[in-house]
Each structure stands twice: as structure tokens, then as C-alpha cells.
């Protein structure tokens, strides 16, 4: 019998998809083990508990609407201490990292990160984590209570998107120490191109090698009337602006065709583009995880391929 | 103001990864280690704060291991004031490593710990926020943008879709760094060699590492290939796909 606590996530007054992914999975595990599922919601999101139909109970925490790492983690600690859930599901997200780790460490509850699957087994759970940039699946077994950090895109959000009127309990949360203060939300800068609207994207990753070589990809994009996109390392290297970044901390895109040049396909990148109907990946590493989500693949040198393509397209 | 940057090596993901005979770990013989890319970002951001005058001292820290001296000398070559190597029984997971670093920074003293936001082998959580809990100081992770003044830091934390949250945090604090304001600098090999001759790495006992993660790996394997990609042999085949999809 697994009693599960799902820590919901919200931004600008809306529950994030990861919340519904976790709720759907939590409901499934709760039902299969004869347990129950609670959803913890923060601030005035308590006014939207009708979206939490997948949960048996909603636990509210009066911690303000704006996410605060310290206050939210303190609130989750209080609720976990009071309710002793068997499984605590937290997103493997920006917010989840701030919350899962201190709760785990303070309350001595094992955490498993990068979880793509969770199964109730005996009195505990087994979790499959996508580690090493998605190159290895690592199975962890935990006998007792567990915090599972769920990778976005692992479960079907629609399963958890159920309306209803679960019982609502207000939690008595301890205030944080007040050492972290929220100042403001900053919207992304207006971009020269909105890659979420593109039909065709040519995306470059670390395999492109140098800033100058991005020109090759730009030529291909021009020839295909595509827009140019990239993975995180390209932005961090300062080779392209953030408005072109696809993935967890960048944009979620769904073009008709996505051509990935020299992108290995870490889970953070795949989260942003896997809904694309045709993915073509060119990467010399035949074991690159990108080939698991791509529909077509080539292991040739990307420069050779692009050069030949440009000749063909000319 | 003093910044400590904990450094850690991780398997180079560009290389092929093999599972060893236990079926529960990577084959250490085959693994090529490199500095965790996010630790490199954290070090860069710390060095930028020092260069701007906001910080006085940057200390690089690592647990002893293969090639760790070279990694620490490289950090000094890039601009760190000093390097500390921790000795003791090897940490088995992120919780134990965080405990070792927490023990050491408590002894060394710090205003800011800037850790890489995550590591590809971090099965049991994230170094920065676990350290912060052991140290009883606040922590903000997924940070890309730090400024410091008057006993507090103003940081920008990344959310999805390019959104940022801006926070103020009282020092001392721990930050999990996602990205520095500029690409991490490179230290020429000649400079690292010269530093190796002139500088010394301070050593420190790691102390009690605590109970660790509390969970164990039961198996490790490369993901099973699903249907996967249809592999194309040549550009002609690729052109055919592009034409079929109405792209070319």
C-alpha cells in the first residue's frame, strides 16, 4: 500500500505539465497498491484544486504565490514530516532541485534523480534513472520511503489531467528562515525568431565544434527555408542566443521536420523536441541517445553530409 | 568575500560507456574522466566575480582521485587563489561527497559556495543543495547570473521556456550554477605546467562522510534500442526523405 505525495509545480498561475505527469503515475501506483495519492499545492493555486481530480486529497500550503526555494522546501519538509508518505514525487526541474535535496537530506529519505520510471516493488520501489546524458539506464531499489525526481516527459500528462473535487486539507507549514527573497519574474527577451512556430528546424549541438562552423548549418537552414536552433552547450559557449535554444531550460518545439546536427540527445534536450513528427539526426557517435528518438539517422560526419546536401539542393 | 568552488570529475559522455562485470557500475578501466561541465561554469562565474572586484578570493576544492592534482592546478592557472584536496575514504555517492565538501568549507570558511548545478552521474541528488542542508545555509539552484553586494547575492534562476526568477539571498549561501556569464576560460598547458612547479595544493581531511544516499543501484545498462532511427546510408537517401517530407 503506497501513500504518495505529489509536489505540484506552478508558474504564473498555471500548473505545469510535470504536475499532471506525476499525478497520473501516482494515481496508477496508488490504485495498483491500494494506497492513496495526495497533491501538495502552494499559495493561491489552492483555488484550482478542481484540476487535481487524480488526487484523493489536496494539501495546501500558504507560502505565497511566487516560488521561493527556501519557503517551498520548508513547507514540503513540514508536510512530509507530518504525513510520512511512502513515495514523494518531485519534478526533476529547476524548482524540484531546490526542494527534493534539502527534504531528502534533512529527513534522511533517499532521493533518486533523473527518474523515467517508478514501480512499486515489495514494500518499496524501483526507479529507473536516465543517467550519463541518457546513455545509461540505472535501476535503483529502495526498501522504504523514497523521493523520486521525475524527468519531464516520462509519463502521460493527460492521464493526470482529471477534474474533480478532492478533499482539501490545509497544512501547518513552518515558515522559512527568510534568507531568500523573491524579487521578480523576468520574461525572455523578444527574439528575432520564434522557433516554437517554425515548420522546419536545423539544430546544432556540440558536434559542430566551433562558432565559425555554425555558418555551415545556417547555409543548410537557408537552403531548406528552415530556422536555426541549438542545444544548450551552444548557448553556454556564447555561439548563439538563448532564443534559439531547444530543451528543458529553452523552448519546446514541434516543427514538421527537425534536423539535429551533432546533437547527442541528452534528456534535457529531448524534452524540448521529441514531439516533432520527423526527426533526422546526424551524429558520428552511433550510440548517441538522439538516435532513440530520431526517425532517421546518419552516422557520417555532419560537415560532409551538409556539404553534399547543399550541392544537391543547389 | 570568499567563494569556494567544489570540483568533480565525471565520465566524458563523448566516449563509449561500458558496464563492468558487476552489472551495476561503469567499467572504470574504459571511462575517461573530465571536469563536470557545470563545475567549469561555476568556476568561471566565481572567477568573473573576483575579477569584477565583488569577490576577493576563489578557492577550488576537490576530493582526491585520479588526475585531481592536474584539475586543481588548472583551476589555479585559470585564476583561483588556491586549491584544496580532500583526503579520506572515497565518497560512494553525492550525499557523501557533499558531506565531505561541507566539512571542508566549514573549516575553510566561505561566503559563497558555487557548485555545478548537476552531474551526469548524480543518481542520489544534487551536490549544492545537499551541501547547503548540511551547512544550514540557504541555497538556490539552476542559477545563470550572480551579482554580490552588501552581504547578499542577487541571482537569476532559470525556469522553463526562457523565464527567469530573480532572488536575493543572504550570505553565506550555496548556489547551484547552470551557466556563467561567459564561456569557461581555457588554461594553456604551459601555464598549468608552470603553476605545477610554483604552487602547492593544500590538503585537508574529509572527515566523517555520513550514511550516504540510502539507496543502492540494482542494475545498469545501456537503454534498449526501441524501433529507433532508420539509418540512412548516404545523402541520396537523406534527400529522398527530405523530398518525401516536402522539405526539399
Amino acid at each position: 500500500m503506497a501513500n504518495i505525495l505529489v509536489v505540484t509545480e506552478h508558474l504564473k498561475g498555471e500548473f505545469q505539465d510535470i504536475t499532471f505527469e506525476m499525478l497520473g503515475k501516482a494515481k496508477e501506483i496508488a490504485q495498483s497498491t491500494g494506497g492513496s495519492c495526495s497533491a501538495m499545492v502552494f499559495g493561491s493555486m489552492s483555488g484550482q484544486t478542481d484540476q487535481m481530480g487524480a488526487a484523493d486529497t489536496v494539501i495546501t500550503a500558504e507560502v505565497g504565490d511566487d516560488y521561493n526555494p527556501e519557503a517551498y522546501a520548508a513547507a514540503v519538509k513540514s508536510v512530509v514530516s507530518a504525513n510520512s508518505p511512502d513515495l514523494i514525487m518531485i519534478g526533476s526541474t529547476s524548482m524540484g532541485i531546490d526542494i527534493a535535496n534539502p527534504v531528502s537530506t534533512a529527513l534522511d529519505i533517499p532521493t533518486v534523480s533523473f527518474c523515467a520510471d517508478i514501480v512499486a516493488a515489495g514494500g518499496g520501489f524501483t526507479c529507473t534513472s536516465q543517467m550519463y546524458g541518457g546513455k545509461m539506464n540505472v535501476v535503483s531499489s529502495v526498501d522504504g520511503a523514497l523521493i523520486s525526481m521525475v524527468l519531464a516527459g516520462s509519463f502521460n500528462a493527460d492521464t493526470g489531467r482529471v477534474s474533480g473535487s478532492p478533499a482539501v486539507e490545509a497544512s501547518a507549514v513552518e515558515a522559512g528562515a527568510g534568507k531568500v527573497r523573491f524579487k521578480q519574474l523576468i520574461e525572455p527577451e523578444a527574439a528575432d525568431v520564434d522557433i516554437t512556430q517554425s515548420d522546419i528546424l536545423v539544430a546544432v549541438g556540440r558536434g559542430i565544434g566551433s562558432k565559425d562552423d555554425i555558418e555551415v548549418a545556417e547555409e543548410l537552414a537557408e537552403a531548406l527555408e528552415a530556422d536555426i536552433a541549438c542545444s544548450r552547450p551552444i548557448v553556454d559557449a556564447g555561439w548563439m542566443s538563448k532564443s534559439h535554444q531547444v530543451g528543458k531550460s529553452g523552448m519546446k518545439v514541434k516543427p514538421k521536420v527537425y534536423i539535429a546536427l551533432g546533437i547527442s540527445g541528452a534528456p534535457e534536450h529531448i524534452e524540448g523536441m521529441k514531439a516533432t513528427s520527423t526527426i533526422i539526426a546526424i551524429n558520428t557517435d552511433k550510440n548517441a541517445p538522439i538516435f532513440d528518438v530520431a526517425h532517421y539517422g546518419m552516422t557520417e560526419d555532419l560537415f560532409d553530409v551538409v556539404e553534399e546536401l547543399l550541392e544537391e539542393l543547389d | 568575500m570568499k567563494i569556494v568552488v567544489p570540483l568533480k570529475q565525471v565520465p566524458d559522455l563523448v566516449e563509449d560507456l561500458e558496464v563492468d562485470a558487476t552489472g551495476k557500475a561503469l567499467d572504470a578501466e574504459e571511462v575517461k574522466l573530465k571536469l563536470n561541465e557545470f563545475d567549469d561554469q561555476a568556476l568561471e562565474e566565481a572567477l568573473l566575480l573576483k575579477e569584477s572586484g565583488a569577490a576577493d578570493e576563489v578557492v577550488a576544492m576537490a576530493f582526491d582521485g585520479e588526475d585531481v592534482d592536474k584539475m586543481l592546478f588548472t583551476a589555479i592557472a585559470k585564476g583561483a587563489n588556491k586549491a584544496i584536496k580532500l583526503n579520506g575514504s572515497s565518497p560512494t555517492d553525492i550525499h557523501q561527497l557533499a558531506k565531505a565538501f561541507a566539512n571542508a568549507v566549514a573549516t575553510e570558511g566561505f561566503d559563497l559556495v558555487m557548485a555545478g548545478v548537476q552531474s551526469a552521474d548524480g543518481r542520489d541528488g544534487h551536490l549544492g543543495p545537499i551541501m547547503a542542508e548540511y551547512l544550514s545555509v540557504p541555497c538556490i539552484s539552476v542559477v545563470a547570473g550572480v551579482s554580490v553586494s552588501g552581504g547578499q547575492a542577487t541571482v537569476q534562476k532559470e525556469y522553463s521556456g526562457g523565464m527567469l526568477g530573480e532572488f536575493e539571498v543572504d550570505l553565506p549561501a550555496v548556489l547551484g550554477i547552470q551557466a556563467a556569464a561567459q564561456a569557461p576560460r581555457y588554461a594553456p598547458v604551459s601555464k598549468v605546467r608552470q603553476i605545477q612547479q610554483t604552487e602547492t595544493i593544500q590538503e585537508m581531511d574529509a572527515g566523517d562522510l555520513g550514511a550516504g544516499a540510502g539507496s543502492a543501484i540494482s542494475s545498469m545498462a545501456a537503454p534498449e534500442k526501441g524501433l529507433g532511427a532508420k539509418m540512412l546510408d548516404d545523402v541520396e537517401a537523406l534527400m529522398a526523405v527530405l523530398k518525401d517530407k516536402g522539405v526539399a
Side-chain angles (χ1 to χ4, degrees):
Chain A
M1 203 175 76
N3 294 317
I4 305 168
L5 177 71
V6 171
V7 177
T8 67
E9 200 160 315
H10 68 95
L11 188 63
K12 295 203 286 188
E14 282 185 23
F15 286 115
Q16 301 293 289
D17 278 354
I18 183 74
T19 296
F20 299 108
E21 285 189 41
M22 294 193 291
L23 279 172
K25 188 66 186 177
K27 188 181 179 191
E28 178 198 313
I29 298 174
Q31 282 177 345
S32 71
T33 61
S36 68
C37 165
S38 316
M40 182 169 176
V41 305
F42 302 87
S44 63
M45 295 307 287
S46 60
Q48 299 186 40
T49 55
D50 57 332
Q51 294 180 47
M52 298 284 108
D56 301 298
T57 313
V58 171
I59 301 172
T60 61
E62 287 310 318
V63 288
D65 290 349
D66 294 311
Y67 169 67
N68 181 311
E70 183 188 52
Y72 277 45
V76 175
K77 259 184 221 171
S78 300
V79 166
V80 170
S81 296
N83 298 347
S84 305
D86 303 300
L87 172 64
I88 301 139
M89 294 172 80
I90 302 178
S92 184
T93 56
S94 181
M95 172 177 150
I97 292 174
D98 291 332
I99 295 174
N101 291 288
V103 172
S104 157
T105 307
L107 304 179
D108 238 342
I109 302 171
T111 289
V112 175
S113 19
F114 307 123
C115 285
D117 200 15
I118 309 160
V119 179
F125 302 91
T126 59
C127 291
T128 304
S129 302
Q130 286 182 355
M131 286 172 56
Y132 302 105
K135 282 194 152 183
M136 286 288 161
N137 282 344
V138 177
V139 180
S140 303
S141 303
V142 179
D143 290 335
L146 163 73
I147 296 173
S148 152
M149 298 189 70
V150 177
L151 278 177
S154 298
F155 307 120
N156 185 350
D158 291 341
T159 318
R161 215 181 286 277
V162 182
S163 55
S165 48
V168 178
E169 287 171 18
S171 62
V173 298
E174 282 173 39
K179 291 181 174 175
V180 178
R181 295 167 293 279
F182 171 77
K183 302 304 286 180
Q184 60 171 334
L185 262 186
I186 302 170
E187 301 280 346
E189 280 174 32
D192 49 341
V193 55
D194 180 1
I195 57 170
T196 64
Q197 301 300 316
S198 305
D199 274 346
I200 311 167
L201 283 172
V202 172
V204 298
R206 219 189 288 262
I208 198 87
S210 78
K211 185 175 184 177
D212 291 343
D213 288 326
I214 288 175
E215 218 171 278
V216 174
E218 284 169 343
E219 271 180 59
L220 178 63
E222 200 174 318
L224 294 172
E225 293 175 25
D227 292 316
I228 193 110
C230 66
S231 64
R232 172 101 215 191
I234 301 296
V235 174
D236 287 345
W239 297 350
M240 232 185 258
S241 71
K242 191 145 175 73
S243 58
H244 294 274
Q245 185 197 328
V246 172
K248 183 191 273 296
S249 57
M251 302 297 159
K252 301 223 175 355
V253 298
K254 202 178 169 184
K256 294 194 183 91
V257 177
Y258 189 90
I259 303 175
L261 303 175
I263 290 177
S264 66
E268 290 84 357
H269 184 75
I270 290 179
E271 186 183 326
M273 46 67 86
K274 71 175 180 186
T276 303
S277 46
T278 302
I279 298 167
I280 301 169
I282 301 169
N283 194 310
T284 47
D285 177 4
K286 65 179 192 312
N287 294 321
I290 190 80
F291 291 124
D292 298 337
V293 296
H295 305 91
Y296 300 94
M298 281 185 93
T299 53
E300 309 295 313
D301 179 85
L302 74 91
F303 297 103
D304 293 345
V305 173
V306 172
E307 195 178 320
E308 245 186 276
L309 261 183
L310 287 170
E311 279 170 24
E312 293 274 333
L313 291 164
D314 196 16
Chain B
M1 197 203 53
K2 180 174 186 172
I3 305 175
V4 179
V5 182
L7 301 177
K8 171 180 189 298
Q9 295 184 105
V10 294
D12 188 344
L13 302 181
V14 172
E15 306 287 321
D16 282 343
L17 300 179
E18 303 276 341
V19 178
D20 72 6
T22 67
K24 297 179 182 183
L26 292 182
D27 188 342
E29 300 279 310
E30 301 291 328
V31 165
K32 186 180 154 215
L33 292 172
K34 61 176 284 227
L35 175 61
N36 176 24
E37 59 181 309
F38 301 107
D39 298 358
D40 206 12
Q41 300 281 348
L43 178 61
E44 181 61 38
E45 189 70 8
L47 295 173
L48 291 172
L49 284 172
K50 186 183 133 187
E51 285 161 2
S52 75
D56 311 302
E57 192 182 5
V58 173
V59 180
M61 198 178 264
F63 201 94
D64 193 15
E66 199 184 324
D67 290 336
V68 160
D69 285 9
K70 190 178 163 206
M71 178 172 79
L72 289 172
F73 281 124
T74 305
I76 296 175
K78 287 180 176 181
N81 297 77
K82 70 171 177 178
I84 300 175
K85 184 167 72 174
L86 308 186
N87 298 310
S89 55
S90 291
T92 54
D93 52 46
I94 301 288
H95 277 76
Q96 287 200 334
L97 183 64
K99 189 71 164 59
F101 280 133
N103 294 340
V105 300
T107 306
E108 174 65 17
F110 70 102
D111 297 293
L112 257 186
V113 170
M114 291 171 70
V117 64
Q118 66 177 43
S119 60
D121 60 352
R123 188 187 60 95
D124 61 305
H126 301 73
L127 187 78
I130 299 174
M131 276 181 77
E133 192 64 31
Y134 287 136
L135 293 164
S136 299
V137 299
C139 180
I140 303 177
S141 276
V142 199
V143 167
V146 184
S147 60
V148 180
S149 74
Q152 64 183 34
T154 302
V155 305
Q156 292 178 343
K157 173 181 171 66
E158 291 192 348
Y159 297 139
S160 57
M163 297 275 297
L164 297 168
E166 190 170 79
F167 296 89
E168 252 174 31
V169 56
D170 292 342
L171 304 184
V174 177
L175 301 177
I177 302 293
Q178 170 83 44
Q182 65 179 45
R185 66 196 65 192
Y186 173 78
V189 177
S190 59
K191 187 163 184 198
V192 176
R193 282 217 192 95
Q194 181 208 325
I195 295 284
Q196 252 163 333
Q197 308 293 327
T198 54
E199 299 277 342
T200 50
I201 292 170
Q202 192 182 320
E203 307 217 4
M204 203 185 268
D205 184 66
D208 172 34
L209 302 186
S215 71
I217 295 180
S218 49
S219 72
M220 182 184 291
E224 272 184 43
K225 299 286 174 196
L227 285 175
K230 178 176 170 17
M231 298 312 277
L232 306 172
D233 293 329
D234 50 31
V235 170
E236 208 174 309
L238 178 54
M239 272 302 287
V241 170
L242 293 176
K243 280 184 179 148
D244 180 49
K245 303 296 170 192
V247 173

